[in-house]
Amino acid sequence: MSQVAGLAATDPAVEEVAGAAPAGRAVSARRSVLSPRTLKILRSLSPVFVLAAWQLFSSLGILDERTLASPVQLAGTAWELIGSGQLQEAIAVSARRAALGFLLGALIAFVLGGIVGLSALGDALVDPLVQMLRTLPLFGLVPLFIIWFGIKEEPKIYLVALFVIVPLYLNLVAALRGVDPDLVEVAGALRLTWSERLRHLYLPAVTPGLLVGLRQALGMAWIALIVAEQVNAGAGLGFLINNARDFLQTDVIVVGLLCYAALGLVTDWAVRLLERRALRWRDEGRSA
């Protein structure tokens, strides 16, 4: 549980479900003389300021384009890669690897988390093994995976799956252990079936924590994929970056990295959208 508490304390997404009192203190501590609308505009424009400064330094020669290409050059490179179809193909391959690894890891995390969160015996038998996995340096498994599974798709997918398991598992177990015992007792008194308890008690109780874990797991999946695709990938964004490295094409490398970042933002946005729809009862309760 201490690991879960530490995870929650460092993730802003967890703070959204942590309660109104800590959030209120955070807002008061960051009070500004600027209006909320002005702050929102500045927040939207901050990336534009960075891009403008980046382009300015490149145009003045302060940034050598052989070391870091300018935004204009990156846009031209991205357009050429899109025109040749290389970028779309690379994104499709990487997205497929991330999806397969995520689905495999999520399936394992749900099974293990359900066993540990709902059973004291499962907690005693399974939780120590997952905690060992959590402390294992997973990137160190890459050479072992290559020996076991070769250099094809399997090592990349399995590495992504391993990175997905821990955050989903920790959040699911914490959410299941946080279910109100009085509600469990009421469900027993009402003689609800297992499916009724799952639908009316456990699913609403664990959904907030599960969605936080989902966001963390998706972020970890993309980080794991970046490393995994550096290992002799024959296709995908990793292959595009490695191939560009051999020819000192820093613009292609940066475009590939930006694609990873964009894919991560898209998946995070999708989970946020799902969170707003799945937890709309929480917002309705606050506004009532």
Side-chain angles (χ1 to χ4, degrees):
M1 291 297 292
S2 60
Q3 292 83 356
V4 176
L7 191 62
T10 56
D11 195 314
V14 182
E15 296 178 1
E16 296 179 8
V17 295
R25 288 196 296 271
V27 169
S28 61
R30 295 185 299 167
R31 187 168 294 167
S32 171
V33 295
L34 301 176
S35 67
R37 180 180 175 82
T38 304
L39 291 174
K40 189 174 181 180
I41 293 173
L42 289 175
R43 181 183 178 87
S44 303
L45 291 178
S46 61
V48 179
F49 293 150
V50 172
L51 287 176
W54 182 358
Q55 181 62 46
L56 178 63
F57 291 153
S58 297
S59 301
L60 295 175
I62 299 175
L63 282 178
D64 188 351
E65 292 198 348
R66 292 173 298 180
T67 303
L68 182 61
S70 68
V72 172
Q73 186 179 352
L74 291 178
T77 302
W79 184 254
E80 291 177 3
L81 291 173
I82 292 172
S84 64
Q86 295 180 66
L87 195 58
Q88 301 93 308
E89 182 182 353
I91 289 174
V93 172
S94 294
R96 183 178 62 83
R97 287 172 181 155
L100 291 175
F102 178 82
L103 291 175
L104 178 60
L107 178 62
I108 296 172
F110 286 153
V111 172
L112 297 181
I115 292 173
V116 172
L118 298 174
S119 166
L121 178 61
D123 186 11
L125 294 177
V126 177
D127 188 63
L129 302 178
V130 181
Q131 296 302 331
M132 289 173 60
L133 175 65
R134 188 182 66 81
T135 57
L136 200 65
L138 297 180
F139 287 135
L141 294 175
V142 172
L144 202 55
F145 277 18
I146 292 175
I147 295 173
W148 287 347
F149 307 111
I151 56 174
K152 296 183 178 178
E153 294 296 292
E154 288 86 352
K156 304 173 186 59
I157 294 172
Y158 294 156
L159 189 65
V160 172
L162 283 177
F163 271 77
V164 167
I165 290 173
V166 173
L168 268 179
Y169 168 86
L170 290 177
N171 282 280
L172 178 59
V173 170
L176 286 172
R177 287 174 178 171
V179 175
D180 192 340
D182 292 338
L183 294 178
V184 177
E185 189 174 341
V186 169
L190 293 175
R191 297 183 179 180
L192 298 183
T193 64
W194 172 244
S195 62
E196 289 173 335
R197 292 188 185 203
L198 181 65
R199 188 168 67 254
H200 298 297
L201 175 62
Y202 289 111
L203 191 59
V206 304
T207 298
L210 194 60
L211 288 171
V212 172
L214 189 61
R215 290 178 61 189
Q216 293 171 339
L218 283 169
M220 297 300 292
W222 287 112
I223 292 173
L225 184 65
I226 292 172
V227 175
E229 288 193 334
Q230 302 303 311
V231 183
N232 202 18
L237 289 171
F239 170 74
L240 195 68
I241 291 174
N242 285 336
N243 197 37
R245 181 196 58 197
D246 295 338
F247 294 97
L248 303 177
Q249 296 174 314
T250 58
D251 53 342
V252 178
I253 294 174
V254 176
V255 168
L257 293 175
L258 291 176
C259 286
Y260 278 123
L263 289 169
L265 287 175
V266 168
T267 52
D268 188 73
W269 171 81
V271 177
R272 279 178 175 269
L273 184 63
L274 176 64
E275 185 178 14
R276 280 199 295 270
R277 290 181 177 275
L279 303 180
R280 60 181 182 274
W281 53 267
R282 188 174 57 184
D283 297 331
E284 291 170 356
R286 286 174 180 171
S287 60

